[in-house]
Structure formats: C-alpha cells, structure tokens
C-alpha cells in the first residue's frame, strides 16, 4: 500500500541545546546556541511548498550550552556556587538546565513563543526530565532533587510551555518513553496535573529489549 506523507517534523531544538534555526533571542545568540542561518519563515515556506504541514520538535531541559553561559539556569551544588556537571571536567562533564530555574523557564517559554508565532501549529516537546543523577550527585545537589515531589518542577515547566504555545494558537505534544509510562517511572506523565496534556508514547528499541 502506498502511503502519502502529510507532515514534516522539524527538530528545531536539538538535545544538547542547539537551535537549528536563526533565532533572534539575544541570550540564545550570546550563549552560542544558534546553529543555523535559516529563518523559521524560510523553513515553513519550503515545507508548505511541498504541500506538507510543518510540525516543530524541541528538546527542553537536555541543554548543556545555555547553562554554561547563564549559570543561574544550571543545577548547582547545594549552598554553593559550583555548577553540577554530569562527569568530571577532564572527561567532558557538562552542566544541565535545571527544571527549578526561573531563568530556564523564561528561556524555554521565549523559544516556544518564537516558534509558535512563526506558524508552527503543533510542537512536539521532548526531554522534559532530570539528568541521570548518581546517588552521590543527589547528595551534592541536595534536597530539591531528592524530594519525592521533584516532578512538580517538570509539571511547572510543561504547563508554562503549553500556556505560551496556546496563547499563539499552537498545541504542545509531550513525548515520553512508553516503557517509563507503562512501568510507572515517568516523572512527567502526570496527565491530571498538566493543562490540556497530550502525550506521545515513544517506543525505543533499546528500552524494549531490556
């Protein structure tokens, strides 16, 4: 059976934090996160020329670029100025964007606004999650990431992204691991606590094989 494509999913923000379009957000440019000279208008126009619908995809909190420049958006050691890194500096350790940071929520909201205002009616949002903290990391970063209610920070980020998109007549779809949803380990699959929640359950062959 021949199937006809109807939509194109464009990864506008990659895992790691790069923006794959010519963002005009000043702090994104300052942080070195802008990785393309193509405007959102050009991207949308090219897709629509092919008779297809453009859908945006953005990685949310898996950002190692912006927090390096703007340390208030990174995870830190409790009661210290030191940035938490996912490995030792000699092994290429990177900071991560914190779900608890007001600056991070502002940045993600402004990216969502820019993309939705350009004309992307649907946005897939993935990586609304915490980094993989080791047990020792939990001690360093402290009580906020050890709390059983830490998921509420993810819910807050998500609700802000959804609210921003809907103000511009766009819808957010939240991508999460199907395995995590099924086995109850997902910290973002909280449909009762997220306004107008629409989830995409993604099956990873690596996870499915475990």
């Amino acid at each position: 059976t021949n199937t006809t494509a109807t939509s194109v999913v464009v990864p506008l923000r990659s895992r790691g934090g790069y923006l794959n379009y010519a963002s005009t957000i000043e702090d994104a440019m300052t942080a070195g996160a802008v990785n393309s000279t193509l405007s959102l208008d050009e991207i949308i126009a090219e897709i629509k020329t092919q008779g297809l619908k453009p859908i945006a995809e953005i990685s949310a909190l898996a950002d190692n670029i912006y927090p390096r420049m703007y340390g208030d958006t990174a995870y830190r050691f409790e009661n210290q100025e030191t940035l938490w890194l996912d490995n030792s500096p000699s092994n290429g350790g990177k900071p991560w964007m914190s779900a608890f940071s007001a600056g991070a929520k502002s940045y993600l909201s402004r990216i969502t606004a820019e993309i939705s205002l350009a004309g992307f009616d649907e946005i897939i949002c993935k990586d609304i999650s915490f980094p993989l903290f080791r047990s020792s990391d939990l001690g360093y970063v402290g009580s906020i990431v050890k709390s059983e209610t830490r998921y509420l920070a993810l819910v807050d980020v998500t609700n802000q992204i959804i609210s921003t998109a809907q103000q511009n007549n766009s819808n957010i779809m939240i991508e999460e691991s199907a395995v995590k949803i099924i086995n109850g380990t997902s910290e973002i699959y909280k449909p009762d606590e997220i306004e107008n929640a629409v989830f995409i359950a993604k099956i990873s062959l690596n996870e499915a094989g475990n």
Side-chain angles (χ1 to χ4, degrees):
T1 308
N2 289 331
T3 56
T4 305
T6 58
S7 306
V8 175
V9 177
V10 188
L12 292 178
R13 188 167 190 258
S14 303
R15 184 175 175 84
Y18 280 117
L19 294 169
N20 302 316
Y21 66 94
S23 174
T24 60
I25 297 172
E26 191 171 338
D27 40 327
M29 293 187 279
T30 302
V34 180
N35 200 32
S36 175
T37 57
L38 275 177
S39 72
L40 290 172
D41 288 346
E42 289 173 315
I43 293 168
I44 288 173
E46 179 60 30
I47 292 169
K48 287 187 173 178
T49 297
Q50 305 300 321
L52 299 169
K53 177 182 178 178
I55 298 174
E57 180 187 80
I58 59 173
S59 172
L61 293 166
D63 185 336
N64 318 118
I65 299 167
Y66 191 85
R68 198 177 290 279
M69 175 68 71
Y70 299 100
D72 63 309
T73 66
Y75 289 101
R76 294 170 173 274
F77 287 3
E78 195 169 31
N79 303 323
Q80 294 184 43
E81 289 297 305
T82 309
L83 265 57
W84 173 82
L85 304 178
D86 60 7
N87 207 325
S88 65
S90 59
N91 287 327
K94 303 177 292 297
W96 282 71
M97 183 165 278
S98 170
F100 300 94
S101 162
K105 282 181 274 197
S106 167
Y107 182 54
L108 293 172
S109 185
R110 285 179 285 130
I111 290 170
T112 303
E114 186 172 58
I115 291 170
S116 55
L117 279 168
F120 283 92
D121 299 333
E122 294 184 36
I123 302 171
I124 298 168
C125 195
K126 63 181 186 176
D127 297 323
I128 306 176
S129 57
F130 296 100
L132 292 173
F133 292 118
R134 297 175 293 258
S135 56
S136 58
D137 292 331
L138 293 173
Y140 293 137
V141 180
S143 55
I144 59 169
V145 291
K146 289 191 284 188
S147 168
E148 289 182 8
T149 59
R150 71 178 193 172
Y151 78 90
L152 290 170
L154 302 180
V155 169
D156 192 34
V157 168
T158 307
N159 280 332
Q160 187 155 339
I161 290 172
I162 290 173
S163 174
T164 301
Q166 290 186 334
Q167 286 169 25
N168 300 324
N169 301 311
S170 293
N171 294 311
I172 295 288
M173 295 174 282
I174 305 152
E175 181 184 296
E176 176 59 306
S177 152
V179 171
K180 287 182 178 179
I181 290 173
I182 291 165
N183 68 20
T185 61
S186 170
E187 292 184 85
I188 192 53
Y189 185 66
K190 309 288 182 183
D192 294 340
E193 298 179 59
I194 296 172
E195 301 161 19
N196 306 302
V198 176
F199 283 89
I200 297 172
K202 185 170 185 178
I203 296 175
S204 161
L205 295 179
N206 290 337
E207 286 183 304
N210 291 336

